[in-house]
Amino acid sequence: MFLKQSKRGWSLAAVLVPLAVVLLIAGCSRSGSSTLSADAIPVTTSSDEARELFLQARELQEKVKLTASFPLLQKAVELDPDFAYAHMLMSLGQPTTKGFFESLEKAVNTAHNASDGEQKLIYAFEAGINGAPVKQERLLKELVALYPAAVRSHGNLGNFYFGQQRYGEAISEYQRAQEIDENFSQIYNQLGYSYRFLGRFDDAERAFKKYVELIPDDPNPYDSYAELLMKMGRYEESNEQYRKALEQDPNFNNSYIGIATNLNYLGRHDEARSYLSKRLESTPVVGEKRVALFAMAVSYADEGNLAQAVKMIEREREIADQQHDMAAASADVNLMGNLYYEMGEYDKAAERFEESVELFAQAPNVNESQIANNKLNHHYDMGRVEARRGNLEAAREHYDQYLAGANQNQNQFQQWAANQLGAIIALQEKNWDKAITQLNASNLQNPYNVYLLALAQQGKGNGEKAKEYFERAYNNNALNNIQQSFARMYAHKSLAAL
């Protein structure tokens, strides 16, 4: 498991990945005394005890133990409320979306107390959340220039490239970090995923095995290797590795989700949901309960039962409401809209998309940039709805506004989504060549786009090419991904009809 984009693919997507938790401390106090070395990003705090808690939490987060890191960071910011760097890490450990934005706001508001390097990290993180990748990249390059011998400077820049799907550049940064410290385990995890996304499975396997070798008593190396085996279609072997991860840490939530995903791919959906139900009952952590419910929705969608998937997300929404977490509720309602969209219930989809935007705008601790970005993404949602309703002129208006905003933001993910929207409109017009052109300029890591590409090829009369893309969409083997479930559901029907 790596710190990847959020389960929804909206709002926080391409945000948590680009600045995954690959961070470093040396030693620096506000009192002026400093043990800062030239090869490390400083940590600025007035409390030695807070610094030690931060160190422990950072190590846990680098091993993807976000839940375990949270109480340590809580204590750190109690000892030093102006500990900006700790607030930033605390945002990633927060069990709720509401808490995430609260901690992010505190990190930004206290950043003036921190060193230049820490400020660049915090403002780069904020830029990612605000959907401003150009600013994020600039700040992370400046961080590398300030600390060229810091392993985590290169790690952070590598993670930005990784999040932008610029895997070759990511690998180059990870290799620079590797040259600085060949035993820094997190680098092998990120290298493994980079190679995996490039289809270089042998290189990925070597990286993950080295990751296991370096920290054999931790769960994440086994979990990451398991995800590679899933991608390769080796589902039973994958679950063996997930079980090894749970032997190291019975509360490692990611591996429960991985096992359930493999069961879905093996056609054992009832077993997957029974397994997830037990996890739902056993974990006291709100965020983990929500993830289990989402995974159950994915399982139902993979089986083709979208109405039951909606019911699972309704239960997620209930948890968000209990926590007064309007940002999380907004995400839940948006996902309901996507499910209704796939069910062909376009009026219900539009209602949910409108409600989602309203909820997000009312959420505390979100800033104007985030609200504006969320409203921009609404054009993508409504453009798809209008296209499927047959209101192509309205759909094109949404497309034009969305593309203009995506280009202004220079946001690759929004530009990819705009191309997908343009392709959906072209498919409705039966303009197969235009659809193919736009889909080839979209995010083809998304199996749903591969499925749409199959439809375009089929419409054009290229049966063999269509079959190739249907099979590729069906066998993409993404972890706990609702877009994968939609693609598998449709591609299975299409392949059966060929």
Side-chain angles (χ1 to χ4, degrees), residues 356-423:
S356 175
V357 171
E358 292 170 5
L359 283 168
F360 191 81
Q362 297 167 28
N365 306 107
V366 298
N367 62 38
E368 290 302 318
S369 294
Q370 292 151 9
I371 292 170
N373 211 39
N374 191 258
K375 287 180 178 177
L376 176 62
N377 291 335
H378 185 58
H379 286 295
Y380 163 77
D381 288 329
M382 290 307 300
R384 290 182 297 138
V385 168
E386 295 299 355
R388 290 290 177 84
R389 281 171 166 168
N391 299 331
L392 297 184
E393 184 176 347
R396 280 190 286 269
E397 288 178 4
H398 284 294
Y399 167 77
D400 289 341
Q401 291 184 67
Y402 187 59
L403 179 61
N407 288 337
Q408 182 177 347
N409 291 341
Q410 296 182 275
N411 186 309
Q412 180 69 79
F413 285 88
Q414 290 174 333
Q415 290 167 336
W416 280 332
N419 279 311
Q420 186 210 60
L421 174 56

Side-chain angles (χ1 to χ4, degrees), residues 430-443:
K430 298 186 179 180
N431 188 337
W432 313 120
D433 286 332
K434 184 177 181 181
I436 289 168
T437 298
Q438 293 215 264
L439 286 166
N440 280 324
S442 73
N443 180 10

Side-chain angles (χ1 to χ4, degrees), residues 3 57 59-70 93 217-220 248-249 252 254:
L3 292 181
E59 184 175 357
L60 288 169
Q61 290 202 353
E62 287 181 347
K63 295 176 179 177
V64 199
K65 296 182 178 181
L66 302 181
T67 300
S69 74
F70 185 67
D217 297 330
D218 269 73
N220 198 57
Q248 307 307 318
D249 182 356
F252 198 69
N254 303 322

Side-chain angles (χ1 to χ4, degrees), residues 175-341:
Q175 288 174 338
R176 290 187 181 98
Q178 194 177 26
E179 290 168 2
I180 295 167
D181 183 357
E182 64 179 6
N183 293 317
F184 183 57
S185 63
Q186 182 66 19
I187 292 300
Y188 294 94
N189 188 42
Q190 296 303 109
L191 273 171
Y193 277 102
S194 299
Y195 289 132
R196 197 204 83 171
F197 279 109
L198 290 173
R200 294 169 57 179
F201 294 149
D202 289 345
D203 288 330
E205 192 163 14
R206 278 191 289 272
F208 287 136
K209 285 184 175 179
K210 178 65 175 179
Y211 188 31
V212 171
E213 178 187 323
L214 286 170
I215 48 173
D217 297 330
D218 269 73
N220 198 57
Y222 303 100
D223 183 277
S224 295
Y225 185 30
E227 196 172 344
L228 172 66
L229 294 170
M230 177 193 293
K231 181 70 175 178
M232 297 167 73
R234 293 157 60 180
Y235 307 123
E236 297 287 8
E237 292 177 71
S238 174
N239 274 350
E240 288 176 13
Q241 294 298 318
Y242 280 129
R243 292 187 192 100
K244 286 183 180 180
L246 291 171
E247 287 173 9
Q248 307 307 318
D249 182 356
N251 293 313
F252 198 69
N253 199 56
N254 303 322
S255 292
Y256 289 99
I257 304 306
I259 288 171
T261 303
N262 278 321
L263 291 172
N264 290 334
Y265 291 152
L266 288 164
R268 293 152 59 182
H269 296 90
D270 287 341
E271 188 178 344
R273 292 191 292 271
S274 175
Y275 183 76
L276 290 166
S277 293
K278 291 175 183 176
R279 180 58 183 163
L280 180 64
E281 294 168 5
S282 66
T283 179
V285 180
V286 168
E288 291 177 356
K289 287 182 181 294
R290 284 175 52 81
V291 170
L293 286 166
F294 174 75
M296 292 172 74
V298 168
S299 180
Y300 276 120
D302 190 76
E303 200 174 27
N305 192 340
L306 299 185
Q308 280 299 120
V310 170
K311 290 182 179 180
M312 295 300 103
I313 304 306
E314 287 173 345
R315 290 175 64 184
E316 263 200 270
R317 167 73 189 275
E318 290 173 5
I319 293 175
D321 287 343
Q322 290 165 7
Q323 299 291 316
H324 306 290
D325 192 342
M326 298 179 80
S330 170
D332 296 335
V333 171
N334 182 274
L335 180 54
M336 289 181 213
N338 278 287
L339 287 162
Y340 284 127
Y341 169 83

Side-chain angles (χ1 to χ4, degrees), residues 29-65:
S29 71
R30 280 189 217 107
S31 63
S33 63
S34 175
T35 58
L36 177 62
S37 61
D39 61 350
I41 304 167
V43 166
T44 307
T45 176
S46 58
S47 167
D48 289 339
E49 184 180 352
R51 181 183 289 105
E52 290 304 313
L53 291 165
F54 174 92
L55 278 169
Q56 295 171 42
R58 183 213 64 186
E59 184 175 357
L60 288 169
Q61 290 202 353
E62 287 181 347
K63 295 176 179 177
V64 199
K65 296 182 178 181

